């Protein structure tokens, strides 16, 4: 019972993080559709205009696919979810040198936060749930791959 409860908590936590990150990508995709000169700066991804759709819409579609596959406990969902999380961990990790060597964390239209530790913590804080969900997806794939053990009579 405890194992199944822990598995369900992990599953719903993974689905929650997947939903949050996918909705964020879908919102970014809508913003890119609306503004032909939209500046997209996600980790190592730095594009302007509709080319950013390759980095937002395609992963959002993969995230939606993974969400439904994991929701219905289809083994391919763990693979898609692992690939989705691995992709975003790589993008964020590749952007770490820019954040780590920055003199200021980030600027908005009205102010700049001059403490680079905020940006570093933000990137590491975003990488952590992706890593946790990727580890969960690997374990879920292994669990779904095992043949069901039947009690012999």
């Amino acid at each position: 019972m405890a194992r199944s409860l822990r598995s369900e908590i992990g599953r719903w936590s993974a689905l929650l993080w997947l939903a949050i990150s996918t909705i964020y990508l879908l919102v970014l995709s809508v913003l890119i559709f609306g503004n032909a000169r939209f500046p997209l700066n996600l980790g190592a991804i730095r594009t302007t205009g509709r080319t950013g759709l390759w980095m937002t819409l395609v992963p959002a579609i993969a995230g939606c696919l993974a969400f439904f596959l994991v929701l219905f406990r289809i083994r391919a969902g763990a693979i898609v979810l692992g690939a989705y999380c691995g992709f975003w961990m790589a993008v964020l990790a590749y952007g770490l040198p820019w954040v780590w060597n920055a003199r200021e964390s980030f600027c908005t239209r009205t102010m700049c936060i001059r403490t680079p530790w905020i940006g570093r913590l933000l990137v590491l804080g975003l990488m952590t749930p992706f890593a946790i969900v990727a580890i969960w997806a690997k374990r879920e794939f292994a669990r779904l791959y095992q043949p069901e053990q039947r009690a012999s009579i």
Side-chain angles (χ1 to χ4, degrees), residues 70-148:
V70 170
L71 184 65
F72 294 113
R73 288 184 170 83
I74 298 172
R75 197 172 85 187
I79 297 169
V80 176
L81 180 60
Y84 175 84
C85 290
F87 171 76
W88 285 112
M89 281 188 334
V91 166
L92 290 169
Y94 190 71
L96 258 176
W98 282 290
V99 174
W100 208 263
N101 297 325
R103 296 188 190 277
E104 53 193 32
S105 283
F106 59 90
C107 293
T108 63
R109 292 181 184 163
T110 58
M111 68 173 194
C112 286
I113 295 178
R114 304 246 182 239
T115 307
W117 284 103
I118 293 173
R120 295 170 189 162
L121 289 175
L122 183 67
V123 171
L124 291 173
L126 284 172
M127 285 177 65
T128 303
F130 281 119
I132 291 169
V133 171
I135 291 168
W136 178 86
K138 180 181 175 245
R139 289 183 179 167
E140 185 70 6
F141 178 77
R143 188 182 69 78
L144 291 174
Y145 184 69
Q146 292 176 353
E148 292 183 28

Side-chain angles (χ1 to χ4, degrees), residues 27-89:
V27 168
L28 277 177
S29 297
V30 169
L31 292 173
I32 292 171
F33 272 127
N35 183 0
R37 302 202 32 83
F38 187 84
L40 181 66
N41 297 319
L42 290 174
I45 302 169
R46 305 203 182 279
T47 64
T48 302
R50 297 217 165 93
T51 57
L53 288 173
W54 286 105
M55 302 315 287
T56 58
L57 191 58
V58 173
I61 292 169
C64 289
L65 178 65
F67 182 87
F68 288 110
L69 290 174
V70 170
L71 184 65
F72 294 113
R73 288 184 170 83
I74 298 172
R75 197 172 85 187
I79 297 169
V80 176
L81 180 60
Y84 175 84
C85 290
F87 171 76
W88 285 112
M89 281 188 334

